[in-house]
Amino acid sequence: EVVLTQSPDFQSVTPQEKVTITCRASQSIGSSLHWYQKKPDQSPKLLIKYASQSFSGVPSRFSGSGSGTDFALTINSLETEDAATYYCHQSSTLPWTFGQGTKVEIK
Amino acid sequence: QMQLQESGPGLVKPSETLSLTCSVSGGSIGGYYWNWIRQPAGKGLEWIGRIYISGTTNYNPSLKSRVTMSVDTSKNQISLKVASATAADTAMYFCARREDTFDIWGRGTMVTVSS
């Protein structure tokens, strides 16, 4: 199966700072990489699909990039409501897999 | 707006079968893959498997021998069964619609496996 490794595992950030989370795949997955935001007691919310396509209704401060094995999620000008755990997910090869998650805390 | 709602027993005894239902409202279940995903407390997300309206399924090999999914088009429901449950199956279980990715999720239901 495709193993996704996110970095860092945890990040403490001041509001208005820029945040970058990376996701590395164990083999090339093209652009079949998606990003989700999950808050406690809520279901995950799709932010970015196919590496760089913003999902409907997602604030423009969220953006994605990458292809092949290396991907990134960027949050420009972090807001307090962005405190959450972020997961990457690949849909190139079954079984579909997720990264271990990156928890973003607001200082 | 399509909505998903998971339901089922919150407590299952070890070695018994964990059974959950995902009820879909606001639209038909036709034309999509329906998925189950779980998250143990303090851990990450794990894809369990998917089912299409035709009954075609794909399961995660880590659970394949114990998992069964089914679809009831008359009730707009998708079901999940996990046989021989153990404490390792204790988790929040989500159903999710997949068009080209998981775009609509249920709120999840917590299942604890304990005697």
Side-chain angles (χ1 to χ4, degrees), chain A residues 7-27:
Chain A
S7 182
D9 290 332
F10 176 83
Q11 196 161 9
S12 184
V13 188
T14 303
Q16 300 186 345
E17 258 190 87
K18 178 180 175 179
V19 173
T20 299
I21 300 168
T22 64
C23 178
R24 174 163 287 178
S26 59
Q27 64 191 65

Side-chain angles (χ1 to χ4, degrees), chain B residues 7-12 17-21 93 109-112:
Chain B
S7 60
L11 182 63
V12 175
T17 296
L18 182 162
S19 296
L20 298 175
T21 298
Y93 285 75
T109 188
M110 183 66 202
V111 178
T112 300

Side-chain angles (χ1 to χ4, degrees), chain A:
Chain A
E1 71 177 41
V2 177
V3 177
L4 298 178
T5 303
Q6 292 182 227
S7 182
D9 290 332
F10 176 83
Q11 196 161 9
S12 184
V13 188
T14 303
Q16 300 186 345
E17 258 190 87
K18 178 180 175 179
V19 173
T20 299
I21 300 168
T22 64
C23 178
R24 174 163 287 178
S26 59
Q27 64 191 65
S28 179
I29 57 172
S31 61
S32 298
L33 191 286
H34 321 284
W35 290 97
Y36 294 84
Q37 176 193 68
K38 189 177 185 309
K39 297 180 179 180
D41 300 321
Q42 294 186 19
S43 58
K45 290 181 168 52
L46 177 62
L47 297 175
I48 303 290
K49 61 180 184 177
Y50 293 104
S52 62
Q53 298 177 25
S54 294
F55 188 59
S56 175
V58 174
S60 59
R61 63 183 180 274
F62 292 93
S63 63
S65 63
S67 67
T69 60
D70 292 297
F71 302 86
L73 172 71
T74 299
I75 311 173
N76 281 300
S77 192
L78 188 82
E79 299 192 6
T80 55
E81 66 188 37
D82 299 334
T85 300
Y86 294 84
Y87 293 92
C88 57
H89 153 62
Q90 67 82 22
S91 62
S92 171
T93 306
L94 290 175
W96 292 326
T97 51
F98 292 86
Q100 81 277 16
T102 295
K103 185 173 183 178
V104 174
E105 174 193 88
I106 309 299
K107 281 182 183 175

Side-chain angles (χ1 to χ4, degrees), chain B residues 31-49:
Chain B
Y32 302 100
Y33 273 101
W34 299 93
N35 298 261
W36 287 95
I37 294 156
R38 69 183 183 180
Q39 183 176 35
K43 296 188 177 181
L45 298 162
E46 179 182 34
W47 177 74
I48 299 169

Side-chain angles (χ1 to χ4, degrees), chain B residues 43-57:
Chain B
K43 296 188 177 181
L45 298 162
E46 179 182 34
W47 177 74
I48 299 169
R50 69 176 183 178
I51 186 167
Y52 195 66
I53 188 173
S54 62
T56 301
T57 56

